[in-house]
Amino acid sequence: MLSNIGIPGLILILVLALIIFGPKKLPEIGRAVGQSLKEFKNSTKGIMEDDKIEDEKKSKDENSTDEPKKIDS
């Protein structure tokens, strides 16, 4: 989707953003977007790690045998 924009399209978007939001607000918006993306990345990474741990537990449980233990008396 974004690969079809090109350099002229990016320049146009940046100029429009500068006109709409102004030079004072633009860095704040960029910072907020960057923090949001970082937070999203960290949360998805945590979810992926949780899924990996659950999969490892399931495979470990499936590989263990449920043989009855012999009791010597």
Side-chain angles (χ1 to χ4, degrees):
M1 182 174 112
L2 293 176
S3 63
N4 295 334
I5 293 176
I7 299 296
L10 286 175
I11 293 171
L12 179 64
I13 291 171
L14 290 174
V15 168
L16 287 175
L18 186 60
I19 291 171
I20 292 172
F21 297 113
K24 291 183 181 180
K25 211 58 162 158
L26 204 56
E28 294 174 18
I29 293 171
R31 199 173 301 117
V33 169
Q35 288 175 349
S36 298
L37 288 174
K38 182 180 177 183
E39 191 173 317
F40 178 76
K41 181 181 173 184
N42 289 337
S43 64
T44 55
K45 185 178 179 182
I47 291 171
M48 295 296 284
E49 289 174 358
D50 290 344
D51 287 344
K52 185 178 177 182
I53 291 170
E54 287 178 11
D55 289 343
E56 289 174 356
K57 285 182 181 179
K58 285 181 183 179
S59 66
K60 186 177 180 181
D61 290 342
E62 290 174 356
N63 291 337
S64 66
T65 57
D66 293 331
E67 297 177 8
K69 295 182 180 179
K70 293 182 181 179
I71 301 175
D72 294 331
S73 26

